[in-house]
Amino acid sequence: MLEFAEKSLTVRIDTSKCDTCETKACAEACKKYARGLLGIDDQGRASVAHRDAEEVLRLGTECLACELACKTKGNNAITIEVPVKGLDEYLKKRQ
């Protein structure tokens, strides 16, 4: 499991699913729509190991392209959590 933080979200990748992924669409999407933060390591798994933690925070654009590409063209291994302050309280008021 790979987990890293960008400015206001957390990216979680079940890298065991990368082993059978033929497209590596997440890294291609990151390169095309963002700054190429996400790469593929020598084992064929999604990785940010070629960047240090400061670079991950600085380069992360929070575009969500990797998640969408992985869901539609890959093995559905990426989950992005975007916390919204006050959302739980708001939803409780609506009930």
Side-chain angles (χ1 to χ4, degrees), residues 14-29:
D14 181 351
T15 53
S16 68
K17 291 183 177 182
C18 297
D19 296 339
T20 57
C21 180
E22 295 178 11
T23 66
K24 310 302 183 197
C26 60
E28 287 301 314

Side-chain angles (χ1 to χ4, degrees), residues 11-75:
V11 179
R12 289 183 184 86
I13 304 175
D14 181 351
T15 53
S16 68
K17 291 183 177 182
C18 297
D19 296 339
T20 57
C21 180
E22 295 178 11
T23 66
K24 310 302 183 197
C26 60
E28 287 301 314
C30 189
K31 190 183 323 178
K32 184 173 183 176
Y33 298 107
R35 295 182 178 154
L37 174 67
L38 194 61
I40 303 297
D41 67 14
D42 58 355
Q43 295 177 346
R45 293 179 168 199
S47 174
V48 291
H50 58 289
R51 309 275 186 193
D52 63 37
E54 183 179 303
E55 281 183 306
V56 171
L57 284 173
R58 183 175 52 82
L59 294 175
T61 63
E62 303 181 336
C63 73
L64 312 178
C66 62
E67 181 182 36
L68 181 61
C70 187
K71 282 188 189 309
T72 59
K73 298 177 183 175
N75 279 356

Side-chain angles (χ1 to χ4, degrees), residues 71-88:
K71 282 188 189 309
T72 59
K73 298 177 183 175
N75 279 356
N76 197 24
I78 300 177
T79 302
I80 297 178
E81 182 180 302
V82 184
V84 178
K85 283 187 177 184
L87 179 61
D88 291 335

